[in-house]
Amino acid sequence: MLKKILLLMCVLLFSNCDYSPIHLKNHNFNSNINITHSTGDDEINNYITKEINQKRNISSDQIDLKIETNTSREILAKNSKGLATNYELKVISNFTLTFKNQLHTFNVVEKLSYKSLSNSYEQNNYEKLIKRNFAKSIVSKLNLKIATIE
């Protein structure tokens, strides 16, 4: 009987709180981001640019952004024949923001270890998928950083 009463109280208590995930409503940037310069890995930079252009808010303050990305793929392990079996893909993104005549710089590092696939076509597609996911994660972290600056 005591368990039923506690369960009922917990249900009533938690059903009336207005819980919502913190990032649920904030899918877009609160600023107009203008990418002035990008260097490094063109593929990652294109993915980042597409993500930013989809999420930006044109009617607000403008932020100038410079992007520098470096991508590296390292072999972590080889089999007895000398063929690579495990890789690590690492993307380092350096951002320079100019907002209200102030410079802000920060870095985002994403890395992932994965096993080699037998088909090179599938391997390339898998790496492109990883890079797209990295770009989404990088833009999400960029959005959080911009929110703390404003």
Side-chain angles (χ1 to χ4, degrees):
M1 185 69 168
L2 183 60
K3 290 181 181 180
K4 290 181 181 180
I5 292 173
L6 285 175
L7 180 65
L8 180 64
M9 288 179 62
C10 288
V11 167
L12 289 175
L13 180 67
F14 292 122
S15 66
N16 290 328
C17 69
D18 189 26
Y19 171 78
S20 64
I22 191 167
H23 300 292
L24 180 65
K25 297 176 186 174
N26 191 11
H27 290 292
N28 295 334
F29 289 109
N30 294 329
S31 299
N32 181 14
I33 297 188
N34 179 29
I35 300 173
T36 59
H37 186 68
S38 64
T39 59
D41 187 356
D42 290 333
E43 188 176 9
I44 291 284
N45 288 341
N46 289 338
Y47 291 143
I48 291 173
T49 302
K50 285 179 187 177
E51 287 290 320
I52 288 173
N53 288 337
Q54 289 175 355
K55 295 182 178 189
R56 72 180 179 180
N57 183 1
I58 297 174
S59 63
S60 60
D61 296 336
Q62 182 171 339
I63 295 176
D64 291 330
L65 177 68
K66 292 181 183 178
I67 304 171
E68 180 185 340
T69 56
N70 296 315
T71 304
S72 65
R73 184 177 89 161
E74 296 180 13
I75 298 173
L76 295 179
K78 293 183 179 184
N79 62 12
S80 60
K81 296 179 184 177
L83 300 174
T85 57
N86 293 356
Y87 292 102
E88 180 182 69
L89 185 64
K90 185 176 184 179
V91 176
I92 301 171
S93 299
N94 301 316
F95 295 102
T96 304
L97 300 168
T98 305
F99 180 64
K100 295 183 180 177
N101 295 326
Q102 293 181 347
L103 284 175
H104 303 276
T105 60
F106 67 97
N107 300 334
V108 177
V109 178
E110 296 287 333
K111 64 181 177 178
L112 177 72
S113 300
Y114 60 95
K115 293 190 180 228
S116 176
L117 300 175
S118 60
N119 187 344
S120 64
Y121 177 73
E122 290 178 8
Q123 181 81 26
N124 289 336
N125 286 340
Y126 184 60
E127 288 176 5
K128 286 181 183 181
L129 178 66
I130 292 171
K131 287 181 180 182
R132 265 188 245 128
N133 290 337
F134 279 174
K136 288 180 183 181
S137 175
I138 290 168
V139 170
S140 172
K141 291 176 183 178
L142 174 66
N143 191 15
L144 289 174
K145 185 66 174 180
I146 289 172
T148 60
I149 291 172
E150 294 180 332

